[in-house]
Structure formats: C-alpha cells, structure tokens
C-alpha cells in the first residue's frame, strides 16, 4: 500500500476592529481608519495561515505555540510567529505545496494590496508566489464583518512530506 505524502490543514481567525489605523494584514501595513485588536499585532491572515500550517503537520495551533497570556507575545509580529511555526513544520519533515487564503472585510478594498500580500507570504515561506492564493470577500453589510466590527480570515494549507536521504536509499 502506498502512503500519501500530502496533508491538508485549515486555519481560521477573527479579530475585532478598533478606531485608528493602519491595518496589519498578510504581513503588510494597509492604510485604513481601523486596526485589528489583539494581543500581538493582530494580523488575522497570518494567524489563520499559521494555524493551517500547524494543523497540516498535526502540530497543534497558534494559541499553544504563542499563548496570549505570555508577556513576550504582547505586540509580537505575526511574521515572526509564522516563520517560527513554519520552522516547526519543516522540522517535522514537511514543506508547503500551496496555500489558499480568504480575508473577510467590508473595508478596505484589498484588491490593490493582494499581490504584495501574496509576495510577502511567499517570501516568509520560501516558496514561489504562484503557490500562494489570496482572495478577499466583503461582509455584504451583514454581521460583524459587514458592520466593520470584525475582520476574519480562513486559510487552507497543503504540505507534503519532504524526501530525506533515508527515503532515497530505501
């Protein structure tokens, strides 16, 4: 029986929005009159992606790795959190095949920023930007997202087991 080397992880995150900007999203600052509220820099997209990668490798979740009760995580950069989590994923023997992300926000319009977000994530994961999908959806003026009370993100990550020298010899 052949074992598959592909694994899939799902990540989700939600943050409340507060007055004043900028909005940190996907590792970049986006000019906006609101910001995400959280213990770290509250980058909802990178948090969801971190959970997706950890989940694909069965390594827990972002809250276990970076608890919001820990003082060292106050204001922490989510790019650093993603890099550290991905280091664990790689140490467990996995590499990214692709990720696909959806951000749910009424405003700002993310179209002008999607390419830069895609490139930033690709750089953080050391993969080509063509392996990173970034989409944006509004709340259609419904619910917390539509009322601009919250921002949400969902990500799916596909990882594959990296071939080792032992695998090649077998």
């Amino acid at each position: 029986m052949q074992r598959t080397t592909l694994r899939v992880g799902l990540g989700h995150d939600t943050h409340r929005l507060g007055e004043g900007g900028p909005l940190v999203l996907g590792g970049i600052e986006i000019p906006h009159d609101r910001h995400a509220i959280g213990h770290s820099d509250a980058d909802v997209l990178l948090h969801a992606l971190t959970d997706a990668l950890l989940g694909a490798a069965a390594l827990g979740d972002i809250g276990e790795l970076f608890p919001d009760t820990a003082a060292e995580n106050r204001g922490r950069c989510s790019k650093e959190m993603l890099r550290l989590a991905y280091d664990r994923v790689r140490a467990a023997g996995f590499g990214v095949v692709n990720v696909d992300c959806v951000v749910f926000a009424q405003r700002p319009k993310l179209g002008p920023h999607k390419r830069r977000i895609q490139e930033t994530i690709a750089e953080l994961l050391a993969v080509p930007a063509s392996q990173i999908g970034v989409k944006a959806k509004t709340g259609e003026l419904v619910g917390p997202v539509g009322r601009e009370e919250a921002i949400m993100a969902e990500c799916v990550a596909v990882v594959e087991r990296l071939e080792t020298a032992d695998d090649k010899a077998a």
Side-chain angles (χ1 to χ4, degrees):
M1 177 169 83
Q2 183 179 6
R3 285 184 28 186
T4 181
T5 61
L6 296 178
R7 308 227 353 222
V8 177
L10 175 65
H12 172 94
D13 197 29
T14 303
H15 281 276
R16 290 175 293 121
L17 291 172
E19 295 296 324
L23 178 66
V24 177
L25 188 65
I28 68 170
E29 287 190 357
I30 296 174
H32 190 44
D33 62 355
R34 302 184 68 72
H35 71 279
I37 299 168
H39 188 72
S40 66
D41 66 6
D43 187 328
V44 70
L45 177 53
L46 294 190
H47 292 183
L49 178 54
T50 299
D51 263 351
L53 289 168
L54 290 169
L59 295 173
D61 64 46
I62 193 171
E64 294 169 25
L65 199 54
F66 305 103
D68 64 6
T69 55
E72 65 268 18
N73 294 327
R74 175 156 299 287
R76 190 172 207 158
C77 176
S78 295
K79 292 192 289 189
E80 177 189 5
M81 294 163 69
L82 176 60
R83 275 196 290 279
L84 291 170
Y86 189 49
D87 285 347
R88 286 189 176 209
V89 169
R90 290 191 57 83
F94 296 97
V96 168
V97 173
N98 75 299
V99 300
D100 192 27
C101 307
V102 183
V103 177
F104 300 88
Q106 190 63 37
R107 291 184 316 118
K109 294 296 183 195
L110 298 179
H113 307 284
K114 288 191 318 187
R115 182 71 186 163
R116 201 162 125 231
I117 291 170
Q118 180 184 27
E119 291 169 350
T120 299
I121 292 171
E123 182 180 326
L124 290 167
L125 300 179
V127 299
S130 62
Q131 291 174 232
I132 310 298
V134 177
K135 299 183 288 292
K137 303 292 178 191
T138 69
E140 297 295 331
L141 303 175
V142 176
V145 171
R147 291 188 301 268
E148 299 183 55
E149 298 168 354
I151 185 169
M152 299 183 339
E154 293 181 349
C155 297
V156 175
V158 178
V159 300
E160 67 180 335
R161 182 159 303 281
L162 300 172
E163 194 173 84
T164 65
D166 292 339
D167 295 334
K168 291 177 185 176

